[in-house]
């Protein structure tokens, strides 16, 4: 994938007017003034159509973009459309706007911007996004737009064009918000909005990345790339692998009553060797988005979703979230209960890492002469402090480099991009694998050499598998559809059942609690959010409690959206993890009472 962003745009020069040196820069003052007047009028008139919902409501842009009650987002989405057009002008590339609230309740909605590489909008622009969203009136908003454009060296007035791909999920407020986004985009002269329709979030990010690579970007192209790379991996599975009849081709998928289930219904028509049954698809109209269903519900509650029960005992099941950027697996563990055996993002990551490490070893081992023409690669796994300690121990035992970042996909993705092959997953099931362009270039060259000199060898097959993975996995963002297919291909390759996968390692029992506080900003953390700097003495108390328990680990961090402090604890038993979490929660309560 492309690493870094092309920050194209102006250099601040040209005839007393900011922007790139161009015909506009050398145009007469009268022409420039006329173009600026047209731009100002269009922007102001459009902004007046989308007033703020009510005074005192503050919008924050984070990993998930802007999120709120869907009926209160019209002004925010309009202004995000303006910002997306500015981002496209600044980079000289296509960007994306996705309207979704992912795993949130159906009444919520949101908007986030995808950068030209298909990743999330650069963090440098997040403060400006918030300033624009919270401008108190249309005139203030327009002034901020012009000021920001000047600061960024963006030429306004139509001299350059902008292109934005728009997508939305199945929420009922999506259509109205789509129209607001289009109005925002059109409020910047020369900007074009391309509506990609109802899509998953990963599809929209994939389309943006592909558009800027100069290749085909339709939904059908997405389906074809996934199905063809999946077919390649399945065809490269070892013949006659011993499975003892433990592998069942049936897979039951919970679509969270969202867009992901609908897209899987389309995709599965192109797949061979996999019997997929989709439940909780929005097309069926029998359930509510994310209510009692979805990856977030399954992973946090460790219970089966709606429409799953005793009849599914022992079967391989998976669950998407509302916009299909999260994936977890599970199986019903007891005939008369909704309890499950959960396979979360940590264990998905471990499965992928194990498979990829094996392929690299095969690739770099000559069948007759030992090591020969080794393809050197730096492989790294990126986790947050919320990753189960057992998964981190397992990955280190594989000999992999494990890095830890603050919580949030934007941090994980950025760190993973530093490696030739970078894995990242959160326990919630959001994650992917990134490949550097340099590594893929060398891998393709080695594959070509092996096809000429040793076609059909194990090394050649390993090279083909790695190339197929790079095409199957969505390198722009976590993608439940592509992740699901990679899991199925790897399980088939290894001859593993769900039981084999579950037994990869034993998760340490954990507990997460929330403590309501008056002001979350009073807690300041460091060391990737695992150590407390303030309030003074709280970290000492946490360390004291943690030392009481075998394999104990605990950290606290402030929520990014509400006045609560989140507590994570794990230990060798569930009773110990629960006790540790309660003890630390009490210390937080005491610390805040002392502050008041």
């Amino acid at each position: 994938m492309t690493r870094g962003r092309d920050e194209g745009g102006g250099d601040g020069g040209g005839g007393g007017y900011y922007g790139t040196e161009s015909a506009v820069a050398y145009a007469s003052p009268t022409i420039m003034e006329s173009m600026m007047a047209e731009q100002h009028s269009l922007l102001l008139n459009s902004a007046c159509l989308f007033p703020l919902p009510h005074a005192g409501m503050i919008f924050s842009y984070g990993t998930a973009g802007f999120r709120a009650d869907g009926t209160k987002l019209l002004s925010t989405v309009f202004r995000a459309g303006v910002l997306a057009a500015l981002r496209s002008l600044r980079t000289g590339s296509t960007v994306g706007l996705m309207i979704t609230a992912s795993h949130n309740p159906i009444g919520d909605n949101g908007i986030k911007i995808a950068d030209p590489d298909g990743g999330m909008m650069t963090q440098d622009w997040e403060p400006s996004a918030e300033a624009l969203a919270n401008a108190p009136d249309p005139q203030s908003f327009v002034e901020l737009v012009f000021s920001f454009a000047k600061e960024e060296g963006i030429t306004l007035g139509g001299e350059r064009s902008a292109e934005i791909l728009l997508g939305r999920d199945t929420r009922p407020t999506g259509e109205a918000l789509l129209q607001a986004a289009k109005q925002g985009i059109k409020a910047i002269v020369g900007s074009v909005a391309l509506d990609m329709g109802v899509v998953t979030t990963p599809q929209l990010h994939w389309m943006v990345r592909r558009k800027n690579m100069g290749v085909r970007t339709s939904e059908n192209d997405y389906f074809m790339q996934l199905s063809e790379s999946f077919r390649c991996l399945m065809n490269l599975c070892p013949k006659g692998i011993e499975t003892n009849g433990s592998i069942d081709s049936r897979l039951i998928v919970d679509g969270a009553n969202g867009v992901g289930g609908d897209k899987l219904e389309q995709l599965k028509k192109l797949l061979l060797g996999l019997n997929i049954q989709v439940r909780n698809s929005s097309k069926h109209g029998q359930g509510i988005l994310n209510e009692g269903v979805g990856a977030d519900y399954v992973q946090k509650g460790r219970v089966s979703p709606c429409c799953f029960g005793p009849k599914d005992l022992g079967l391989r099941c998976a669950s998407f979230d509302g916009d299909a950027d999260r994936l977890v697996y599970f199986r019903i563990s007891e005939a008369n209960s909704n309890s499950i055996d959960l396979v979360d993002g940590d264990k998905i990551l471990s499965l992928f890492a194990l498979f990829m490490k094996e392929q690299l070893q095969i690739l770099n081992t000559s069948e007759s002469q030992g090591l020969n023409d080794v393809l050197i690669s730096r492989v790294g796994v990126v986790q947050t402090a919320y990753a189960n300690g057992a998964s981190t121990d397992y990955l280190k035992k594989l000999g992999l480099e494990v890095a830890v970042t603050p919580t949030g996909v934007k941090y994980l993705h950025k760190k993973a991009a530093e490696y030739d092959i970078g894995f990242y997953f959160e326990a919630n099931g959001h994650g992917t694998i990134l490949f550097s362009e340099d590594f893929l270039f060398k891998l393709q060259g080695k594959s070509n050499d092996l096809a000429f000199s040793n076609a059909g060898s194990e090394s050649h097959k390993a090279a083909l598998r790695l190339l197929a993975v790079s095409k199957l996995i969505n390198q722009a963002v976590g993608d439940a559809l592509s992740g699901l297919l990679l899991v199925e291909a790897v399980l088939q390759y290894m001859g593993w059942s769900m039981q084999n996968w579950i037994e990869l390692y034993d998760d340490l029992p954990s507990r997460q609690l929330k403590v309501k506080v008056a002001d979350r900003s009073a807690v300041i953390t460091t060391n990737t959010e695992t150590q407390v700097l303030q309030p003074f003495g709280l970290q000492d108390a946490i360390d004291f409690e943690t030392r009481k328990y075998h394999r104990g680990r605990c950290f606290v961090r402030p929520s990014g959206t509400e006045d609560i402090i989140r507590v994570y604890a794990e230990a060798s038993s569930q009773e110990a993890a629960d006790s540790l979490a309660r003890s630390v929660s009490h210390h937080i309560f005491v610390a805040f009472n002392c502050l008041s």
Side-chain angles (χ1 to χ4, degrees):
M1 67 180 293
T2 301
R3 297 290 167 80
R5 296 178 172 87
D6 176 18
E7 296 288 339
D11 59 6
Y17 176 66
Y18 59 88
T20 54
E21 293 189 354
S22 62
V24 171
Y26 296 103
S28 70
T30 302
I31 294 176
M32 289 195 299
E33 289 170 3
S34 174
M35 294 174 69
M36 286 300 96
E38 178 189 358
Q39 176 62 89
H40 186 281
S41 177
L42 175 61
L43 196 54
L44 182 60
N45 291 338
S46 299
C48 288
L49 300 175
F50 298 95
L52 291 177
H54 59 75
M57 192 170 185
I58 302 299
F59 297 97
S60 299
Y61 195 102
T63 298
F66 292 113
R67 282 193 191 170
D69 181 326
T71 62
K72 295 179 169 59
L73 277 173
L74 285 171
S75 68
T76 307
V77 172
F78 165 80
R79 295 177 181 196
V82 172
L83 184 67
L86 296 177
R87 186 67 185 153
S88 178
L89 290 173
R90 178 68 178 88
T91 60
S93 304
T94 301
V95 302
L97 266 183
M98 183 66 197
I99 299 169
T100 181
S102 189
H103 56 278
N104 281 32
I106 192 170
D108 289 349
N109 217 322
I111 184 82
K112 57 184 174 181
I113 296 173
D115 252 1
D117 63 358
M120 297 178 181
M121 183 181 71
T122 178
Q123 294 177 54
D124 294 342
W125 275 43
E126 289 181 8
S128 298
E130 294 181 353
L132 291 174
N134 294 298
D137 54 67
Q139 184 60 47
S140 300
F141 170 71
V142 172
E143 290 174 1
L144 278 174
V145 169
F146 275 79
S147 174
F148 180 62
K150 183 174 183 179
E151 179 184 321
E152 289 289 323
I154 299 170
T155 301
L156 296 177
E159 181 264 332
R160 295 179 66 187
S161 61
E163 183 176 70
I164 297 87
L165 304 188
L166 283 164
R168 66 192 187 280
D169 67 12
T170 56
R171 294 167 191 272
T173 54
E175 179 60 36
L177 295 178
L178 173 72
Q179 298 308 318
K182 288 180 177 179
Q183 287 293 319
I185 293 166
K186 290 192 294 184
I188 298 298
V189 177
S191 299
V192 177
L194 299 180
D195 184 2
M196 309 309 290
V198 175
V199 293
T200 70
T201 292
Q203 282 183 310
L204 192 278
H205 284 258
W206 182 91
M207 291 169 179
V208 171
R209 179 172 182 263
R210 296 269 295 184
K211 182 77 171 179
N212 290 304
M213 293 169 65
V215 291
R216 296 170 63 91
T217 61
S218 72
E219 182 174 76
N220 186 60
D221 295 318
Y222 171 86
F223 288 142
M224 291 304 298
Q225 178 164 318
L226 263 60
S227 61
E228 288 172 4
S229 51
F230 174 73
R231 186 180 304 116
C232 178
L233 282 170
M234 293 292 280
N235 289 340
L236 288 167
C237 286
K239 306 301 181 187
I241 189 168
E242 182 60 46
T243 64
N244 297 318
S246 60
I247 297 182
D248 194 324
S249 65
R250 288 178 297 171
L251 172 65
I252 308 175
V253 180
D254 161 34
N257 294 319
V259 63
D262 304 341
K263 300 305 180 183
L264 184 57
E265 291 277 20
Q266 296 175 251
L267 176 59
K268 75 176 189 179
K269 298 173 184 177
L270 304 174
L271 304 175
L272 299 175
L274 195 57
N275 179 10
I276 299 176
Q277 178 185 347
V278 181
R279 297 178 188 168
N280 303 322
S281 168
S282 73
K283 293 290 187 184
H284 301 154
Q286 297 177 340
I288 298 174
L289 177 70
N290 294 328
E291 188 170 303
V293 293
D296 190 64
Y297 175 81
V298 171
Q299 187 255 336
K300 283 189 169 59
R302 292 179 178 265
V303 293
S304 61
C306 178
C307 300
F308 287 73
K311 64 184 181 301
D312 306 311
L313 182 65
L315 293 178
R316 192 169 69 259
C317 305
S319 184
F320 296 169
D321 71 335
D323 65 339
D325 66 354
R326 294 185 183 185
L327 167 71
V328 296
Y329 271 72
F330 66 95
R331 71 178 179 187
I332 306 295
S333 56
E334 297 178 23
N336 297 314
S337 170
N338 69 342
S339 64
I340 61 171
D341 295 316
L342 176 69
V343 179
D344 64 8
D346 292 338
K347 207 158 264 187
I348 293 173
L349 184 155
S350 297
L351 178 73
F352 290 169
L354 178 64
F355 171 75
M356 297 287 283
K357 185 173 186 291
E358 179 178 319
Q359 300 313 305
L360 288 169
Q361 288 175 332
I362 295 171
L363 175 66
N364 286 325
T365 302
S366 168
E367 295 166 330
S368 60
Q369 299 177 356
L371 292 179
N372 180 39
D373 190 22
V374 173
L375 180 60
I376 298 174
S377 59
R378 186 178 176 222
V379 181
V381 175
V382 189
Q383 296 182 309
T384 72
Y386 283 105
N388 193 277
S391 73
T392 306
D393 291 343
Y394 175 80
L395 292 164
K396 288 180 177 178
K397 287 177 182 176
L398 285 180
L400 295 171
E401 178 181 339
V402 180
V404 179
T405 71
T407 302
V409 173
K410 58 187 176 184
Y411 301 110
L412 290 159
H413 194 99
K414 181 179 180 181
K415 184 63 179 179
E418 296 177 6
Y419 298 94
D420 290 315
I421 303 177
F423 304 80
Y424 74 85
F425 264 85
E426 294 181 292
N428 62 28
H430 187 113
T432 189
I433 309 171
L434 306 183
F435 295 81
S436 72
E437 287 186 346
D438 180 65
F439 175 79
L440 287 177
F441 177 79
K442 292 176 180 177
L443 177 62
Q444 185 65 66
K446 181 149 188 171
S447 178
N448 294 341
D449 291 343
L450 288 167
F452 178 76
S453 64
N454 207 2
S457 66
E458 290 305 309
S459 295
H460 185 216
K461 291 177 183 177
L464 293 175
R465 290 187 193 104
L466 290 168
L467 288 169
V469 171
S470 74
K471 296 174 183 176
L472 174 57
I473 204 74
N474 190 333
Q475 294 188 56
V477 71
D479 186 337
L481 287 167
S482 68
L484 179 105
L485 296 186
L486 183 53
V487 166
E488 293 301 314
V490 173
L491 291 178
Q492 184 67 35
Y493 168 85
M494 302 181 82
W496 276 15
S497 65
M498 276 287 287
Q499 184 64 29
N500 296 133
W501 191 10
I502 290 168
E503 293 175 349
L504 193 61
Y505 58 81
D506 294 323
D507 282 318
L508 286 169
S510 64
R511 176 64 63 202
Q512 295 187 48
L513 296 177
K514 296 185 290 187
V515 182
K516 290 186 178 181
V517 296
D519 180 11
R520 67 184 184 274
S521 66
V523 173
I524 300 175
T525 62
T526 187
N527 193 22
T528 60
E529 302 179 313
T530 60
Q531 297 285 314
V532 177
L533 291 176
Q534 293 181 16
F536 181 76
L538 180 56
Q539 186 59 50
D540 290 339
I542 295 172
D543 293 341
F544 174 78
E545 296 295 343
T546 302
R547 284 193 294 268
K548 296 179 181 179
Y549 302 97
H550 178 56
R551 301 195 72 181
R553 183 171 71 95
C554 184
F555 66 92
V556 306
R557 56 181 288 270
S559 166
T561 57
E562 52 187 325
D563 281 324
I564 62 173
I565 304 302
R566 301 186 185 277
V567 179
Y568 178 90
E570 65 182 30
S572 57
S573 70
Q574 190 62 60
E575 182 181 8
D578 292 347
S579 178
L580 176 55
R582 287 194 300 268
S583 298
V584 170
S585 296
H586 175 71
H587 283 292
I588 295 171
F589 178 78
V590 171
F592 271 83
N593 278 346
C594 292
L595 291 174
S596 61

